[in-house]
Amino acid sequence: MDQTRIAPPLRGQDVLHPDGQYSTLAKWFHWTTVPLMFLALATGLTIRFMKDDVKMSFYALHESTGLILLGLAVARLAWRGVSRAPALPDHLPPAMRAAAQGVHHALYAALILQPLLGFFTTNAYGFPMQGATAFLGFIDLPKFMEANEGLATALHWAHSLLGWSIPLLLAAHIGGAIYHHAIRKDGTLLRML
């Protein structure tokens, strides 16, 4: 009688997903976040070049997108607490595992910290999300502080520095996915498709 144990199948494991796959809701969170991140980055990078008559609309869009991303990130983390992500495949070397986990953790942190920094920056500048820059264009959010130029400047720098690091994190994340799919051909990318 053979005493070898057969490992239970991974969640979502099939021919297309040999290393298992993320849940449908986790995939929805991921692929909903992608265009919103690019919208937030694009508007954030172009606001300073906008004419004054449309600048407030860009701020409203940028800030609303950021707060939606914050909500999605919190919901994603809550979902991850309930529905664990599939484990990284055994065939990944330790350095790749560490890099993947580091980039994922940094992206989650950025998705939470960046909108908060932006929200508090605008409040510190004396422009809460009300009126012309209301959330989604019509929902006034409470003002959390009085204008404070020194704090606003510090928050703005933190928001800008983190904002410039996000494209680097995205490049590492996307580059890693392409590397796994095109070069290693190991099915890692397929876990999120």
Side-chain angles (χ1 to χ4, degrees):
M1 184 158 131
D2 184 40
Q3 297 293 328
T4 19
R5 296 181 122 202
I6 297 175
L10 300 169
R11 178 184 49 206
Q13 186 177 31
D14 57 24
V15 175
L16 287 176
H17 305 93
D19 293 321
Q21 62 183 306
Y22 286 87
S23 69
T24 301
L25 186 56
K27 291 176 185 180
W28 182 87
F29 281 133
H30 181 273
W31 294 110
T32 301
T33 299
V34 170
L36 291 171
M37 283 189 76
F38 284 104
L39 179 60
L41 286 168
T43 54
L45 291 171
T46 57
I47 286 174
R48 71 176 63 133
F49 304 109
M50 293 298 127
K51 294 181 180 177
D52 288 342
D53 57 336
V54 295
K55 191 173 279 202
M56 286 303 143
S57 299
F58 268 75
Y59 273 115
L61 179 60
H62 178 71
E63 293 169 7
S64 294
T65 304
L67 289 183
I68 292 169
L69 283 166
L70 172 63
L72 279 172
V74 170
R76 278 177 91 164
L77 287 174
W79 178 246
R80 291 226 24 196
V82 174
S83 175
R84 296 189 56 83
L88 289 174
D90 292 335
H91 57 76
L92 289 182
M96 280 188 187
R97 287 173 176 274
Q101 290 173 334
V103 170
H104 281 121
H105 288 120
L107 279 170
Y108 272 113
L111 284 170
I112 291 170
L113 290 174
Q114 185 67 344
L116 290 174
L117 285 168
F119 180 73
F120 289 119
T121 298
T122 56
N123 270 264
Y125 274 126
F127 298 106
M129 293 182 72
Q130 299 173 351
T133 59
F135 179 64
L136 299 177
F138 64 94
I139 301 171
D140 287 340
L141 298 182
K143 183 178 178 180
F144 284 95
M145 64 184 78
E146 293 303 317
N148 180 327
E149 190 70 27
L151 178 60
T153 300
L155 289 169
H156 181 89
W157 273 104
H159 185 67
S160 295
L161 290 173
L162 184 54
W164 283 108
S165 73
I166 291 173
L168 299 175
L169 291 170
L170 288 173
H173 181 65
I174 294 166
I178 291 169
Y179 172 76
H180 281 283
H181 191 70
I183 295 172
R184 283 182 58 95
K185 300 181 191 305
D186 62 10
T188 299
L189 173 66
L190 298 176
R191 293 158 31 108
M192 191 50 84
L193 298 177

